[in-house]
Amino acid sequence: MFKHVDYLQFQARPEKPDAFFAAKLQELIGGQYGEMTVMMQYLWQGWSCRVPGKYKDMIMDIATEEIGHVEMLTTMLARLLEAGPNETTEKAAAANPVLAAVLGGQNPQHAIVAGGGPMPTNSQGVPWNGGYIVASGNLLADFRSNVAAEAQSRLQTSRIYNMTDDTGVKDMLQFNLARDTYHQQQWLLGIEQLLDDGFIDAPIENSNMAEEKAEQRRTFYSFDPESTAGEGRWANGHSLLGEELVYVPDAQPLTDDKPIGPAPDPKLFVTYAGDMGKGTPGTAGGAYASGMKNVAKKVKDALDG
Amino acid sequence: MFKHVDYLQFQARPEKPDAFFAAKLQELIGGQYGEMTVMMQYLWQGWSCRVPGKYKDMIMDIATEEIGHVEMLTTMLARLLEAGPNETTEKAAAANPVLAAVLGGQNPQHAIVAGGGPMPTNSQGVPWNGGYIVASGNLLADFRSNVAAEAQSRLQTSRIYNMTDDTGVKDMLQFNLARDTYHQQQWLLGIEQLLDDGFIDAPIENSNMAEEKAEQRRTFYSFDPESTAGEGRWANGHSLLGEELVYVPDAQPLTDDKPIGPAPDPKLFVTYAGDMGKGTPGTAGGAYASGMKNVAKKVKDALDG
Amino acid sequence: MFKHVDYLQFQARPEKPDAFFAAKLQELIGGQYGEMTVMMQYLWQGWSCRVPGKYKDMIMDIATEEIGHVEMLTTMLARLLEAGPNETTEKAAAANPVLAAVLGGQNPQHAIVAGGGPMPTNSQGVPWNGGYIVASGNLLADFRSNVAAEAQSRLQTSRIYNMTDDTGVKDMLQFNLARDTYHQQQWLLGIEQLLDDGFIDAPIENSNMAEEKAEQRRTFYSFDPESTAGEGRWANGHSLLGEELVYVPDAQPLTDDKPIGPAPDPKLFVTYAGDMGKGTPGTAGGAYASGMKNVAKKVKDALDG
Amino acid sequence: MFKHVDYLQFQARPEKPDAFFAAKLQELIGGQYGEMTVMMQYLWQGWSCRVPGKYKDMIMDIATEEIGHVEMLTTMLARLLEAGPNETTEKAAAANPVLAAVLGGQNPQHAIVAGGGPMPTNSQGVPWNGGYIVASGNLLADFRSNVAAEAQSRLQTSRIYNMTDDTGVKDMLQFNLARDTYHQQQWLLGIEQLLDDGFIDAPIENSNMAEEKAEQRRTFYSFDPESTAGEGRWANGHSLLGEELVYVPDAQPLTDDKPIGPAPDPKLFVTYAGDMGKGTPGTAGGAYASGMKNVAKKVKDALDG
Amino acid sequence: MFKHVDYLQFQARPEKPDAFFAAKLQELIGGQYGEMTVMMQYLWQGWSCRVPGKYKDMIMDIATEEIGHVEMLTTMLARLLEAGPNETTEKAAAANPVLAAVLGGQNPQHAIVAGGGPMPTNSQGVPWNGGYIVASGNLLADFRSNVAAEAQSRLQTSRIYNMTDDTGVKDMLQFNLARDTYHQQQWLLGIEQLLDDGFIDAPIENSNMAEEKAEQRRTFYSFDPESTAGEGRWANGHSLLGEELVYVPDAQPLTDDKPIGPAPDPKLFVTYAGDMGKGTPGTAGGAYASGMKNVAKKVKDALDG
Amino acid sequence: MFKHVDYLQFQARPEKPDAFFAAKLQELIGGQYGEMTVMMQYLWQGWSCRVPGKYKDMIMDIATEEIGHVEMLTTMLARLLEAGPNETTEKAAAANPVLAAVLGGQNPQHAIVAGGGPMPTNSQGVPWNGGYIVASGNLLADFRSNVAAEAQSRLQTSRIYNMTDDTGVKDMLQFNLARDTYHQQQWLLGIEQLLDDGFIDAPIENSNMAEEKAEQRRTFYSFDPESTAGEGRWANGHSLLGEELVYVPDAQPLTDDKPIGPAPDPKLFVTYAGDMGKGTPGTAGGAYASGMKNVAKKVKDALDG
């Protein structure tokens, strides 16, 4: 169960409105790595976590914090949209070339749909969707996803940080940058903890490990004759599992199996060349196949003119 | 530019058809972490890579391999669908309770849309989409995403591996499991290489680091009074940046700023309570606001009966 | 800012697992009117609400409750999936025809993607998306949307309630049904309050009312000569605005304006019949248009054989 | 079956082209509450309506009208795009700062994809989708949805109305505003009719009402200690069902049930702490679990350096 | 403007209900090539058609017919769902193995969301979307798309036709098959008419033809050394434009241009190797770049242990 | 299996950067008919092709070429984005009205998400998705789809070609235009080959032809009394199957069947008027239906005041 406190975790006070920057800021709300994603991803992982105690509590704590981050960003967005240029275009732009850029670059849904507020979409207007969430129940795999999400999220925040001079906006983003720095580490330290607690014995997902092909577990295949990929750490020395790494230049197929399907069910009218020969009844959806030979003949006559 | 060799990288020969398992296998083709995702993600990262030489070559090599993995899986799927149960349901199910399950669980689009072949969708029929791709141009952030993608992909492969007894299917999945084991390491070793080559100075994304709030970079905030999250590694000792970690139980707002937007543009008809008082013209889209007081009266009379 | 209490608002204890029912229950989590929708819709409306005090507090209170409802449903789902049938199909179904139905009807992503937990999708596997959210800033319009959302949500809960005999599941759904009953009224009483407080002067959205066409505001147009729609309340008596209702049978166009666009920009190669005559340069993207008369002739010759 | 008359229901004659405004007008065609939504929603409800006579006829009549509204808007859009600025940007913008705004704000798909015509998308280019449609077969629930749809649609029309000075555009939108005013009432009067005809006995969805928890049907729970929500009509007096309303400040969990799933199927490699103790085979997908102890040791050695 | 006649164009009377078949039939309603697609595609093309007279009238006529086809299919679907198996699963399946298949294969949204009616989705539950519509304003390109749509639509109808023994369903599908046969021809004959009327001078889209590279207009490139593609008509004889066809086996790049981007803007923190050398400030988002050398050192120390 | 050669198929060298044009060029990468679509569509068709030899080889060859086309376009895009205007808006626009347009019209994700590179989206930011792919296994139907795809793709390329003066961009697009000209013909010639090889006996999809209604196969129905569609080739002379074409003006329903569903399952709470009379238990989800007559009375009293 959740509770709400009617104050922001950290202040969201822009110096002045900026509808154009607001359009960009949407990426941090409803983008692939916006705050909606980490909020929902951590809630989902917390609810799916089967390890009560410090792991589950940690995930639920950060999930709860992230709901508040969406709150901070939506508040910031509404304030950036104050007195947005919702007038008729021509008059406004004629008077002010700066406004012309703003007009062109602002998000029309901010006015039309949201009445001067945030949208649950990215910076191009695409709605956030549940396909962004990662929650497998396997803490190693999910912590890896979380490190990645915080890294991408921080990078985007950092890029957007450089797109404004507003000290109020920058102040809040400095808080967000710091949280992403901490959270990246939180998940990496979480992997350390999983190793310490004996939940995993390697920092990579390795279920059913005894079943996998041993050779392909340590081999880099190159598919370009001029590739220099063999010079990298990934092709030299030992793997994280202690096995010697192998580099295979100009890799060849490991089988003579060709990518072709079996003869199809005639009822599906798939074109094929089976042992009944080409053009056999049922193979290509022809009139002939249906026993309509006279119609087929008419067709041929018609085509022949 | 690309070339094609008309053999599979590794064989895809099931012992016998299994339309129900084929429906599940779609997750490994068109799911969030199916082969289409890594194929497109690595192609995109390779094309966007600004470091010619071993990094770009390595990314393009694995991208090229992954196109071949989609080829292996689509071939396997077509073979699993051979002689699929496309008959009328009642007859088939009456004769065979096993078939009843298969009929219920198979993917109808395999027959109707693809004619006994694979679909570019996940195991629930949702089309693959470009929103799954991660390619930021920042190699650290992207390698983190790639480790995560390979971990999730391997976990799903491993779960599906346990859902079949078909030795031919298992043989191919043992190859796929091994590649995912290798590829997870490839990206982790790639981060080692980035550190060695001086492209990064920390294993986390830390652009604009001098700007961020120093305190929030090392602090865990808890939002549940009974949380035990303070017991974990993420709240004790030093961070990866060498700073002492701080744990804040039952965190409080850091500001008295409340989440409320400014007075809206009257032309947007947003409800608000401004200094003009409640119900002021324009605030709530009322007839009164539009100067139609007589209509407003009629409305009231009508409502009052 | 939000806080979390590690107890459910109401218990979620099924008598026994039921993977098939779990697949259906997804509709109440990630469907168009699942709990994710009302949770996000009310959070969004709360953050966008410009009336501090009882309105904003009320919206935030219900939003906070709804986060806890998603928590209840995801917990219930994980428990319904305990010991889910993740074995190979054939063995399982052969032994048990009931299981055959379950196998066919269960959601494969529950095992493959979520490891025996809930998905952020509807009962057909479609990811929840932000396009379901309604938050305009206009409280009347949004309260109308909320009444509708609670009505649809309750109806779906009621239908699903009739699809199980599990007394534990039914117990929780009895709580959910009651909340939807209350919440429908909450929003209707909210409209009463808006009228009482003078934020609106009619129970319908009527901004810019002085501008609209007076005649079309009170007229029902019928487009089927045999329609009996004229017998309804909507075509007889007075409107909610106190105006006499008008019924127009077999309605005719009110204009002689035809649905045709202007002559297109030749650079867009749109087919059209302008005053330059048919086939004029640029009109249909032809070789002739491009000055390639000799090629055009070759084409004609080739086609003529 | 349908018929077409080649005249618009109401004229769609702009004074002059305006590609920028056309981009915004897309919201009224393919947005969440654009004309495509009401057209498809009413068609769907009409086809699903099980009450022949005035109800079904009324729904089909308005559905048929709405097809014509999409026709009006697409015609208007094509006319607004006449002579759209499809030239190279630099020349155009250098000559004319107003044009700079238009260029930035226009929809590139209007020229590239549609050849100077409308798109089946919203103002941000997101394609219209069937997830916007509501059609449950329950007339009360659906009429509630329809009131909401008309209110949101009218509000958006009203906001867009204020974004243009074109008297021709305004003339058509005055017609649309009036229709939305009428249609909101039509659905509210439809609910009156349902009550009069005895199809429902309350203006809220209340199926399975005898089953729901009686207490939670009349209770407002607050989750913020400082909330003032208790001052509203929704927490005072009697409900629409005649029951006394209850206000619960600072609500507490009604159960000691915690949000945690059961022990997972080992074949799914979900991390958990079961009675077998932490790190037990199968719990976290480890090499140890797979019997590969020697590999596990190698891993540890490799990590330990 | 449109009108409605309350009779189906052709009868939709199944012999008996079949919820499983109904789930498959959804593909013909809301699939990529279902009736919603052709209905909306032709409406859109008709509204965008700039050639008044027989072309525009023909497109509007078929569009109007297709609205009626969706009506036929939704009616059929509701009838197939009569008395659908909405009971609890276990009881039902235990009694009847045929029902087990139906239960597993039916669409849960038919009951939960639509109350025993059709959904605006495909056979896997994915909502229909506007991205399926093709309407470019260029009649040749659009007629080509329409031939393709009718061919795919007919093929799917034909496959589904073979999945039922119900003579009532088959009767209606025989009508639909015939319409698709006619409509394929209608669009091909439309291309004949465009040629006759001089709107096009070739049966392929060839705008800006004088600008394109002449050599690449007639050349087949092969990218597999063992390809036998050179044996086909597409690589031998003359093209439809009268030019000699060329076959290039084992094609090589036509340029020495490599797929690499320029040096990125430092503010975007993209990893690159520019002339400032590797690891230069700004290139990889490092702490060093931000002037935080002391922090960078701490990081290194922490990592070195 | 695939291989990569680290050179472009054709050069992609713009004269100078142009972020605004780059935003438009996205349509050719990730739009409905962008290069991602043909790449994936042909790969999919190739993998699903059941005719080994020249057909399968031809499809795989063009699929392999198209991967290289995406590579060319993504490279071009990265170069067009060099030194993109990622600064703060106001300063930039004030200095330069041309830049104002560029700023408004550029794609914010190019900087924020991709770091100055391409996105897997269309020109409006909508992610590419697998729903664009057509691959039925029936070569005739698929070749028809491919002709259409190449025609639409070429048309869009041609429109974009006219939107730039950059000779480097134009040079590459001249190559792309030519390939689309060739590829349109390749698929049309492929249909010729299918006829020659006896895989089909008519140039239209005609499976199950003996089953379809003979009359409706050759009839044009008009649904507008003033339609002139009867003047076209599609309503006069003989069909491609050699049958006489029929034109039916002002078409009437062919049946007295009305579009109404059967009485619904009472457990679904669908409103209906069955033989049990209106308002009968279960029909409309009322309290009365649930046996709660006393509650129903309270409701009535409350409503009556």
Side-chain angles (χ1 to χ4, degrees), chain F residues 13 26 30 42 54 57 60 64 87 104 115 117-118 121 133 138 144 185 193 203 242 265-266 275 281 291-292 294:
Chain F
R13 293 187 174 120
Q26 281 285 155
Y42 299 157
K54 67 177 179 288
D57 288 351
M60 287 309 301
T64 306
E87 314 150 65
T121 61
I133 293 181
N138 181 300
R144 285 283 179 216
Q185 299 181 72
Q193 185 78 67
D265 181 339
D275 33 38
M292 292 276 290
N294 55 335

Side-chain angles (χ1 to χ4, degrees), chain B residues 151-169:
Chain B
Q152 297 286 347
S153 170
R154 194 184 183 289
L155 177 62
Q156 294 182 5
T157 303
S158 199
R159 286 168 175 172
I160 284 178
Y161 181 84
N162 284 354
M163 292 177 186
T164 182
D165 288 337
D166 188 299
T167 56
V169 174

Side-chain angles (χ1 to χ4, degrees), chain E residues 41 53 82 88 90 110 125-126 140 161 165 179 185 192 199 205-206 212 245 248 251 290:
Chain E
Q41 179 155 312
E82 188 176 0
T88 59
E90 195 167 330
H110 280 163
V126 177
L140 172 65
Y161 181 84
D165 287 337
R179 296 313 289 152
Q185 299 181 73
E192 259 189 52
F199 279 111
E205 203 287 315
N206 64 341
E212 72 188 4
L245 293 166
V248 176
S290 312

Side-chain angles (χ1 to χ4, degrees), chain A residues 161 171 182 211 213 234, chain B residues 161 171 182 211-213 234:
Chain A
Y161 181 84
D171 184 53
Y182 175 70
E211 305 276 320
K213 305 280 183 205
W234 45 81
Chain B
Y161 181 84
D171 184 55
Y182 175 70
E211 305 276 320
E212 72 186 2
K213 306 280 184 203
W234 46 80

